Amino acid sequence: MKSWKDNLRKIEPYTPGEQSKAGGVIKLNANENPYPPSPAAAAAIKNFDAGALRLYPDAGGALLKNAIAEYYGVESKNVFIGNGSDDVIAVSFQALFSGDKPILFPDITYSFYPVWCSLFDIKYKTCPLDSNFRINLNDYRAENGGIIIPNPNAPTSLGEGREFIRQLMSFNKSSVVIIDEAYVDFGGMSSICLTREYENLLITGTFSKSRSLAGLRIGFAIGSETLISALEAVKNSYNSYTVDSIAMAAGAAAIKDDEYFKSTVKKITDVRKKTASQLQELGFKVLESQTNFLFATHSNADMKDYFNYLKTQKVFIRYFDLPRINNYVRITIGTEKDMCIFIEKTRQYLKNH
């Protein structure tokens, strides 16, 4: 006799960076922004009318969609919003990748992609990065049911230029291409402008990284009206109210505060440059980052051991026990003080090992 347990879905879930409850931790393992949200976003939350929470949020998300559309120079009909870019991409997988052919994405990339494929029963094929962790454009000439590529890529931190995207689109006129731009604000080249040229191109983004709103879970997509309509249809088939009222108010305020946004991004990129240089002086190989993190290795050190040592020192970074990158670590850029402590603990490790 079959057990009811046989009907449970069996899936290997995505594993996020460790969330420690211990005090005094330097948390460099989740690609969070070390700086607070825009004062304008904080004011929007503080001044929000709590009485309005008895009502459902605007299902159309007009306040936030209009703010995003204005910032990126598109129309609100070209904008989709969701609970973080994870939600947006999950909806995109369901709405846009329903063919019989496998979708394509890099073998070293955001590890949620294969999880969604398993959950939604989507065939997929990974394309190996080259020896320098670069995407081989020719791999994406193959017949496919869709493509998703993070640009810049994670965890490698490397980005590609707009001409790369143009060539990718020229190869793939019969399938949807999604470019995940979660980290683009830290030095990457956004392809949002190309959505006017390519009806089958979707760009996804997030307020979690560069706008310091990870706790509110705000994500978005920009694309043709045809693609956005497909996303809305899927969203409205299971949850019409994906983004809450407070998040929309704070998100709209945050994206309008461009001065604060640019100042915090500059702080992070300045500290990133300094930290990369310090690591290189200590013998690390550090990839050229266009993100808010560094991807690094050391020829004379075991990165898993290094990761575990730093953890004992209450400095959390990210280690992936995966083929090809199991002697690399990913280091989120914190404040200058955070990174000084990180470098100090790294020096201690190298001295004692």
Side-chain angles (χ1 to χ4, degrees):
M1 179 182 294
K2 289 186 67 176
S3 166
W4 56 267
K5 293 181 181 178
D6 294 328
N7 294 323
L8 302 182
R9 187 180 290 276
K10 298 171 181 64
I11 191 168
E12 187 71 29
Y14 169 75
T15 304
E18 183 177 350
Q19 300 288 339
S20 174
K21 294 181 180 177
V25 169
I26 305 296
K27 195 168 180 289
L28 309 176
N29 67 336
N31 294 345
E32 296 154 325
N33 196 311
Y35 303 105
S38 154
I45 295 170
K46 181 179 180 181
N47 297 327
F48 189 85
D49 178 12
L53 293 178
R54 66 184 180 83
L55 304 172
Y56 284 113
D58 172 19
L63 177 67
L64 182 55
K65 283 185 180 180
N66 290 342
I68 292 171
E70 182 179 358
Y71 185 82
Y72 289 108
V74 298
E75 296 184 50
S76 59
K77 66 183 180 181
N78 300 120
V79 179
F80 177 83
I81 58 175
N83 287 322
S85 60
D86 284 344
D87 180 44
V88 172
I89 298 171
V91 171
S92 300
F93 270 48
Q94 295 176 83
L96 310 178
F97 295 157
S98 62
D100 296 328
K101 298 168 188 173
I103 69 167
L104 308 178
F105 50 83
D107 64 336
I108 301 172
T109 194
Y110 187 29
S111 55
F112 225 142
Y113 297 160
V115 175
W116 285 317
C117 287
S118 177
L119 183 62
F120 305 136
D121 197 24
I122 297 170
K123 297 176 184 176
Y124 72 93
K125 178 184 176 183
T126 58
C127 302
L129 301 182
D130 68 18
S131 58
N132 295 314
F133 296 125
R134 287 287 181 183
I135 295 170
N136 185 345
L137 193 56
N138 285 329
D139 288 340
Y140 297 87
R141 287 177 177 266
E143 222 176 355
N144 62 77
I147 290 170
I148 182 163
I149 292 176
N151 191 35
N153 195 8
T156 66
S157 80
L158 300 173
E160 305 294 344
R162 203 169 286 152
E163 185 54 35
F164 173 96
I165 305 300
R166 285 188 183 279
Q167 290 186 57
L168 180 67
M169 298 308 298
S170 72
F171 302 156
N172 294 279
K173 298 178 180 179
S174 301
S175 56
V176 173
V177 176
I178 300 175
I179 304 298
D180 178 354
E181 293 190 352
Y183 300 100
V184 75
D185 294 328
F186 299 102
M189 178 70 73
S190 178
S191 296
I192 286 175
C193 64
L194 298 183
T195 60
R196 299 186 188 93
E197 298 179 38
Y198 303 102
E199 192 178 13
N200 58 324
L201 174 63
L202 188 78
I203 307 297
T204 64
T206 179
F207 282 41
S208 297
K209 316 297 182 186
S210 57
R211 299 189 189 277
S212 306
L213 289 174
L216 282 184
R217 311 303 299 125
I218 303 172
F220 64 93
I222 293 177
S224 66
E225 189 174 1
T226 301
L227 293 181
I228 298 303
S229 296
L231 299 184
E232 294 286 359
V234 169
K235 182 201 74 154
N236 291 332
S237 296
Y238 72 90
N239 183 3
S240 299
Y241 305 98
T242 54
V243 181
D244 69 71
S245 301
I246 296 175
M248 283 195 279
I255 201 166
K256 292 176 182 177
D257 192 351
D258 201 42
E259 183 178 352
Y260 182 84
F261 160 73
K262 288 176 179 175
S263 69
T264 53
V265 166
K266 186 177 187 307
K267 286 180 187 177
I268 290 169
T269 54
D270 286 349
V271 174
R272 180 187 70 197
K273 182 179 179 181
K274 180 179 178 181
T275 304
S277 178
Q278 290 173 318
L279 286 173
Q280 288 165 343
E281 288 172 5
L282 293 172
F284 281 83
K285 175 186 175 182
V286 184
L287 274 63
E288 189 174 349
S289 176
Q290 293 185 356
T291 64
N292 66 335
F293 60 86
L294 298 172
F295 197 55
T297 188
H298 198 294
S299 59
N300 297 323
D302 183 303
M303 291 295 95
K304 186 174 184 180
D305 186 59
Y306 169 58
F307 158 79
N308 286 324
Y309 172 81
L310 288 182
K311 195 172 178 181
T312 68
Q313 303 300 300
K314 290 191 172 183
V315 177
F316 284 25
I317 60 174
R318 193 80 192 267
Y319 172 77
F320 300 92
D321 194 6
L322 296 169
R324 299 184 66 195
I325 60 170
N326 58 3
N327 203 42
Y328 281 78
V329 288
R330 192 193 72 189
I331 307 147
T332 303
I333 300 302
T335 64
E336 189 160 12
K337 181 180 178 181
D338 291 338
M339 303 318 290
C340 284
I341 295 171
F342 160 73
I343 290 294
E344 178 189 345
K345 299 299 182 182
T346 296
R347 285 197 179 102
Q348 290 176 9
Y349 172 79
L350 294 174
K351 181 180 178 180
N352 297 326
H353 294 73

